[in-house]
Structures are given as structure tokens and as C-alpha cells.
């Protein structure tokens, strides 16, 4: 089973004010020598996932220095994956600042495709949590799902602040709305997704051609999957 993790680490983190004035939110120090992104990297390593792409954008230098080719997390691998840091660039075919989370993955799809992964884990680099992704991926396989999203229960009076899912008795998603005024449930998306690769590639190609899309997983990709 080949799994590739894509960590979205380009967030500006405006709500952290001066902490992110000179660095991206995932690079903010935590407990001394650690950075916020270390939680996600540690989850990958402890789940046996060593093929990792980190997509940066806003003030990436501090994050690049910290990652140091993945040595602190046993990710300095040349032949079995390892960590690779990617950021917007200009080339034969122009790229630009990432418009949304889905656009960030689309612009780097050639790198995601490398190694022919069966599954792609989409993660955020600015979350503080512990998770065994192996359990998530096995659940995804057992359900033969196109996409599986992790959720957490939040107080109903706070649900309008999150992307909210509604499911049936089999946990199949039947509704997904971003920051709804009238939430259909209190199941909030954690921004942790696993896609079957072939499905992900097709979805991103369709989304790229949609001129009305904001090219975001929560706002566009997942709601379109539910509608279809």
C-alpha cells in the first residue's frame, strides 16, 4: 500500500498576530525547539508514512531551516520517499500563488503522482493533535471510499465557525457546508482527508477547469463530491 502525505504549510496565520509577522504559522515555535508542523510530521512518522510533500508559500524560510531535509523526524530518505518542500515557482508553464488548498495540490500534481501512490493524505501543517493515520487509511480502504474526512464534535453554538458535515447511519457524508449559519450537525471537519489517488487526480482536473471555483477542498471539492 503506497501512501503519500501532502502537508499544506503555506498559511499566514493572521490570527496569531506578531507570532507570524516573520514566519508561516506552521513554523511558529512550540515548547522550545519544536514547531507547530512537528505534530503533523510526527504523526506521519509514527504512522509509518515516510513519503511527505510540504507545500509552503508565506515566508517559508524559517520553516525550511527547521525541516532540514527531515532529519529530526527520520524523513531524510533518498529512495523510499522522504520529505520534500515545494513552493510556488515560475517555469515553462507559469504557476502563481496558490488560490486555495485544492489549487496548491493541483499545481504540484506531478510531484504528488511521483511513485504512483494508491492513497493521498491531505494534512494541515498548523494543527496541534495526535493521530494514527494508519487507522484512517485502513478505514478508508475497508469502506472502498473515494474520500474520507476526519471530524470532531464541537459545541452546537460554535458549529457555524467550521466546515460542518452531516452523515447517514453508515457514516456516508450527505451534506458538507463551510461555516453555515444553520449547521446541520456538530461534526466539524478537521481538515484531514484521505483520497484514493485516481479519484483525487480527476477531481482536481475538473476543478481546475471550473472558472467559478475558489479551488478549495472544503468550499468546492468536497461539496461537489456530495452533490454528485
Amino acid at each position: 500500500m503506497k501512501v503519500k502525505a501532502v502537508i499544506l504549510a503555506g498559511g499566514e496565520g493572521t490570527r496569531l498576530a506578531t507570532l507570524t509577522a516573520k514566519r508561516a504559522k506552521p513554523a511558529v515555535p512550540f515548547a522550545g525547539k519544536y514547531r507547530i508542523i512537528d505534530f503533523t510530521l510526527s504523526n506521519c512518522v509514527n504512522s509509518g508514512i515516510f513519503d511527505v510533500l510540504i507545500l509552503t508559500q508565506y515566508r517559508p524560510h524559517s520553516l525550511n531551516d527547521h525541516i532540514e531535509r527531515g532529519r529530526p523526524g527520520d524523513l531524510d530518505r533518498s529512495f523510499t520517499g522522504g520529505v520534500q518542500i515545494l513552493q510556488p515557482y515560475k517555469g515553462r508553464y507559469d504557476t502563481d500563488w496558490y488560490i486555495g488548498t485544492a489549487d496548491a495540490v493541483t499545481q504540484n500534481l506531478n510531484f504528488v503522482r511521483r511513485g504512483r501512490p494508491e492513497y493521498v493524505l491531505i494534512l494541515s501543517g498548523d494543527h496541534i493533535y495526535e493521530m494514527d493515520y494508519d487507522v484512517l487509511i485502513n478505514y478508508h480502504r475497508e469502506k472502498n471510499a473515494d474520500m474520507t474526512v476526519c471530524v470532531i464534535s464541537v459545541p452546537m453554538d460554535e458549529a457555524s465557525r467550521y466546515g460542518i458535515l452531516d452523515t447517514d447511519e453508515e457514516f456516508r457524508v450527505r451534506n458538507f457546508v463551510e461555516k453555515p449559519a444553520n449547521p446541520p450537525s456538530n461534526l466539524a471537519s478537521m481538515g484531514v482527508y484521505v483520497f484514493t489517488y485516481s479519484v483525487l487526480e480527476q477531481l482536481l482536473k475538473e476543478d481546475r477547469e471550473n472558472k467559478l471555483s475558489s479551488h478549495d477542498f472544503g468550499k468546492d471539492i468536497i461539496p461537489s463530491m456530495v452533490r454528485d
Side-chain angles (χ1 to χ4, degrees):
M1 179 174 64
K2 294 183 179 180
V3 180
K4 178 165 291 188
V6 179
I7 302 177
L8 304 174
E12 184 174 349
T14 54
R15 287 180 293 181
L16 294 184
T18 55
L19 290 176
T20 53
K22 296 183 178 180
R23 57 171 60 91
K25 186 178 177 183
V28 170
F30 193 100
K33 66 178 181 179
Y34 300 104
R35 306 295 177 99
I36 290 178
I37 196 172
D38 288 336
F39 285 88
T40 305
L41 287 172
S42 177
N43 287 337
C44 287
V45 172
N46 292 329
S47 302
I49 299 171
F50 298 99
D51 191 356
V52 180
L53 295 179
I54 300 177
L55 307 187
T56 65
Q57 179 161 266
Y58 172 81
R59 293 190 178 273
H61 306 92
S62 178
L63 189 60
N64 293 350
D65 291 342
H66 176 69
I67 301 290
E68 292 180 342
R69 298 184 180 178
R71 291 192 182 97
D74 192 28
L75 287 168
D76 54 330
R77 294 162 179 249
S78 300
F79 303 105
T80 57
V83 65
Q84 187 173 9
I85 303 174
L86 303 173
Q87 55 199 66
Y89 61 92
K90 291 289 184 181
R92 178 174 297 177
Y93 302 102
D94 285 350
T95 64
D96 207 337
W97 287 101
Y98 303 139
I99 300 172
T101 54
D103 180 58
V105 179
T106 299
Q107 290 198 40
N108 293 284
L109 196 57
N110 285 338
F111 297 97
V112 178
R113 186 186 299 116
R114 186 173 296 172
R116 299 183 179 180
E118 298 174 70
Y119 305 103
V120 177
L121 196 57
I122 306 293
L123 308 168
S124 295
D126 58 2
H127 291 173
I128 298 172
Y129 68 109
E130 179 183 2
M131 179 180 290
D132 184 350
Y133 299 136
D134 193 48
V135 174
L136 167 63
I137 294 163
N138 285 333
Y139 178 85
H140 176 83
R141 293 180 67 190
E142 290 170 4
K143 293 293 185 179
N144 194 28
D146 291 333
M147 185 274 297
T148 302
V149 55
C150 293
V151 300
I152 187 170
S153 297
V154 298
M156 201 65 190
D157 58 355
E158 296 182 12
S160 60
R161 297 170 48 198
Y162 304 94
I164 296 296
L165 290 82
D166 187 24
T167 67
D168 61 20
E169 294 78 6
E170 299 297 322
F171 300 107
R172 184 182 297 273
V173 179
R174 59 186 180 187
N175 195 9
F176 186 100
V177 284
E178 197 62 35
K179 299 181 179 179
N182 299 301
S185 78
N186 68 332
L187 297 178
S189 169
M190 294 174 59
V192 174
Y193 317 118
V194 57
F195 284 88
T196 298
Y197 175 77
S198 58
V199 174
L200 175 64
E201 181 171 6
Q202 183 61 36
L203 289 168
L204 293 179
K205 287 180 178 178
E206 294 172 358
D207 179 73
R208 180 177 56 193
E209 296 169 359
N210 182 358
K211 303 300 182 182
L212 300 178
S213 175
S214 59
H215 309 297
D216 187 86
F217 282 109
K219 295 178 182 177
D220 305 286
I221 298 291
I222 300 176
S224 71
M225 294 180 73
V226 174
R227 288 194 299 270
D228 292 344

